Amino acid sequence: MGAVAGHLYERLAEEFAGAIERGALRPGERLPSVRALSSKRGVSPATVVQAYAALEHRGLIEPRARSGYYVRRRLQVSIAVPEVRETARKPRRVSVASAIHDLFDAIADPSVVPIGAACVSPELLPIERLNRLLSAVSRELGSLGGTYGAAEGWLPLRRQLARRGVEAGIALSANDVVVTNGALQALELALRAVTRPGDIVAVESPTYFGILQLVENLGLRAVTIPCHGESGLDLAALAAALERHPLRACVAVPSFNNPSGACLPEEGRIALLQLLSRYDVPLIEDDLYGDLHHRGPRPRPVKAFDSHGRVLYCTSISKTLAPGYRIGWIAGGRYHDRIVQLKRGADMHTAIPLQAALSEFLAGGGYERHLRVLRARLATQVERLRTAVALRFPAGTRVSNPSGGFVLWVELPEHVDSLELQRAALANRISVAPGVLFGAGDEFRHYVRLSAGHPWSERTERAVATLADLVRVPTALAV
Ligand SMILES: Cc1ncc(COP(=O)(O)O)c(C=O)c1O
């Protein structure tokens, strides 16, 4: 296990922080008096006073006049959200390939606590029902898979996907949709449809590392636009970049950005589209997390406001249903025909039996009910993880407060190198996603992304405590 905090008062503070996190000490409950605790534990009153001061500093407990210390009632408000980082304005070639390897290696290992990869636990997904439908369609549709199909995808599935788009607010028909191998292929086809090698595109900072990898693999250059934790893409910075560079596309995850969790408000979505229209630049919109809002209505995609076919809308079922099925889709607007051509050239089409099974699943109903349950579970898990980080991690830590999705973006004290943290955490059988993966340069070296996709357990709780110890004691990172 990880290193333990040094001073006696720190250990005492940790012990009480753990008790608060587990709910053994509940909000509003009184802590033992200084005198009582000092005699019970055989430590000096000064040590107890110091421990309580540390807990108060972390926002966990509060003093009340002449009556002692109490657990604060609203723990979750006691930690700040990460700051926006100014990122370089110059277009850059980016390289993140090697750092991603370790993250994916850990997914397949059940002995590793899975708070690294942005995956929803299979036990929260109706995967068995989907698998049963796969065998049923394979039996019933005889020669299904015996010939090539349309590059656009299986028509009944495209109808279902278009219907989901319509429910999200986008005016679509089956003819506007191309089925892809996951959102990643949708993004790749979108980028290839609107750029050539050497072109410059705007990407958010921080952003999903798959987008950075695509930029790298396609020989593009990226201008990074700061993405505010709460309000999303910085439109003034984007306007400046449009003025300065011949941008060929803007790639954004407006709803619950991975990793920051940011959600661009509706007026920002309209302004974004107006801004890009002025420069005739297409928007590649990644809406992978749009269905996973924790409260309120689903955010309407930017594509819902697009009357000129300027938005290439990309999404998939990977975060809500079945990442292993590798099914996503793209509504490419005015670039639709080019995307069909690129899809055919890339891999002919997505596997038909899988498309047919998904089509049956969506047609059979129950998906919305599943999403409602999933959203509630994820909202609870995110809050649980967030509270644990707030309680355990050292002063100077900041945590995002997303209103959707299931990842947390954690800014650690500046001395922490997240690649070292990833290595030390793996040595403790814990996977985390180091911040460097999510930036085109080194700007997020002391950040880490944690995933709340799995149900909370004692194992997760212990893992968070170990990570906190590793972060607190810099030498513990040198494994
Ligand atoms: C923002 C974002 N886009 C795309 C992807 C890739 O999705 P898929 O697995 O459907 O290819 C991910 C996966 O984590 C993601 O977070």
Side-chain angles (χ1 to χ4, degrees):
M1 289 297 278
V4 174
H7 295 290
L8 193 55
Y9 84 87
E10 284 177 324
R11 290 211 291 274
L12 198 57
E14 276 317 301
E15 194 186 311
F16 274 84
I20 293 169
E21 186 200 339
R22 289 191 303 278
L25 271 171
R26 303 177 60 74
E29 212 169 293
R30 186 167 179 271
L31 274 75
S33 72
V34 171
R35 190 154 7 118
L37 191 59
S38 116
S39 78
K40 195 165 175 204
R41 293 299 180 86
V43 296
S44 74
T47 299
V48 178
V49 168
Q50 249 186 318
Y52 283 3
L55 290 167
E56 186 186 352
H57 182 73
R58 283 162 67 180
L60 303 183
I61 65 172
E62 58 193 1
R64 291 198 199 148
R66 286 185 298 282
S67 133
Y69 277 95
Y70 289 77
V71 179
R72 280 178 79 132
R73 289 199 181 274
R74 289 185 54 82
L75 295 172
Q76 65 272 35
V77 296
S78 63
I79 189 155
V81 297
E83 298 199 313
V84 177
R85 291 192 85 74
E86 212 27 62
T87 53
R89 294 276 161 89
K90 287 220 309 263
R92 286 181 285 184
R93 296 202 181 269
V94 295
S95 180
V96 288
S98 63
I100 294 167
H101 197 76
D102 285 352
L103 184 65
F104 280 89
D105 249 12
I107 293 180
D109 185 344
S111 74
V112 173
V113 187
I115 46 184
C119 294
V120 171
S121 167
E123 70 189 86
L124 302 181
L125 302 173
I127 198 71
E128 281 169 17
R129 194 177 136 218
L130 189 56
N131 287 346
R132 277 199 302 276
L133 285 168
L134 179 60
S135 8
V137 295
S138 307
R139 273 196 310 275
E140 285 160 22
L141 297 183
S143 68
L144 186 76
T147 55
Y148 287 119
E152 291 88 334
W154 179 251
L155 181 59
L157 175 61
R158 284 190 283 128
R159 288 202 187 105
Q160 291 297 329
L161 297 175
R163 209 196 53 188
R164 288 213 58 77
V166 170
E167 282 164 11
I170 311 172
L172 283 181
S173 80
N175 294 336
D176 301 312
V177 170
V178 177
V179 179
T180 58
N181 286 321
L184 200 55
Q185 189 183 43
L187 291 166
E188 173 166 6
L189 297 177
L191 275 168
R192 289 178 58 203
V194 299
T195 64
R196 288 159 188 269
D199 280 350
I200 307 172
V201 296
V203 300
E204 293 166 304
S205 177
T207 194
Y208 165 55
F209 52 76
I211 292 172
L212 295 172
Q213 246 184 340
L214 283 176
V215 167
E216 181 182 358
N217 292 347
L218 296 176
L220 302 170
R221 287 174 295 161
V223 170
T224 48
I225 312 294
C227 188
H228 300 260
E230 312 259 283
S231 56
L233 194 66
D234 184 329
L235 294 180
L238 178 62
L242 285 161
E243 229 4 81
R244 202 167 303 140
H245 305 289
L247 298 184
R248 291 283 173 247
C250 173
V251 189
V253 188
S255 298
F256 319 124
N257 170 295
N258 171 13
S260 71
C263 189
L264 188 64
E266 196 152 299
E267 60 277 14
R269 292 173 189 236
I270 295 165
L272 169 62
L273 204 49
Q274 284 169 346
L275 178 61
L276 293 173
S277 303
R278 223 173 295 145
Y279 292 84
D280 197 24
V281 171
L283 174 69
I284 299 177
E285 177 178 25
D286 179 339
D287 193 35
L288 198 52
Y289 297 88
D291 278 329
L292 294 180
H293 48 107
H294 295 169
R295 39 191 175 266
R298 185 200 198 289
R300 275 195 285 176
V302 181
K303 180 81 179 162
F305 306 98
D306 173 29
S307 44
H308 295 97
R310 196 182 300 283
V311 179
L312 298 93
Y313 175 85
C314 305
T315 189
S316 81
I317 58 162
S318 297
K319 305 299 167 179
T320 52
L321 204 52
Y325 271 56
R326 305 304 305 132
I327 296 187
W329 56 283
I330 178 167
R334 60 168 84 155
Y335 306 96
H336 175 82
D337 292 348
R338 175 78 182 131
I339 284 163
V340 174
Q341 186 192 352
L342 287 168
K343 171 68 181 170
R344 189 177 289 114
D347 56 8
M348 206 69 91
H349 58 73
T350 294
I352 296 174
L354 298 178
Q355 295 192 65
L358 176 60
S359 171
E360 289 295 306
F361 181 93
L362 295 175
Y367 187 46
E368 269 309 322
R369 192 165 6 97
H370 157 64
L371 284 179
R372 263 199 308 280
V373 175
L374 182 62
R375 277 180 208 124
R377 291 291 298 263
L378 294 178
T380 307
Q381 286 167 203
V382 165
E383 203 41 52
R384 199 73 216 260
L385 182 60
R386 188 168 190 275
T387 305
V389 171
L391 291 172
R392 298 276 186 175
F393 277 51
T397 301
R398 293 162 175 264
V399 191
S400 61
N401 192 10
S403 52
F406 54 93
V407 296
L408 289 176
W409 186 227
V410 184
E411 181 179 355
L412 300 166
E414 291 262 356
H415 70 262
V416 179
D417 178 331
S418 61
L419 282 174
E420 285 177 9
L421 177 63
Q422 182 190 29
R423 278 193 290 274
L426 267 180
N428 283 278
R429 318 305 298 154
I430 303 163
S431 126
V432 297
V436 281
L437 296 185
F438 303 91
D442 216 21
E443 53 272 36
F444 300 114
R445 186 161 276 272
H446 64 292
Y447 285 65
V448 70
R449 188 198 67 186
L450 301 180
S451 165
H454 285 249
W456 185 258
S457 67
E458 272 182 25
R459 199 160 89 111
T460 328
E461 188 174 319
R462 281 197 303 275
V464 173
T466 303
L467 287 178
D469 284 342
L470 292 172
V471 168
R472 193 173 295 107
V473 186
T475 47
L477 294 179
V479 289

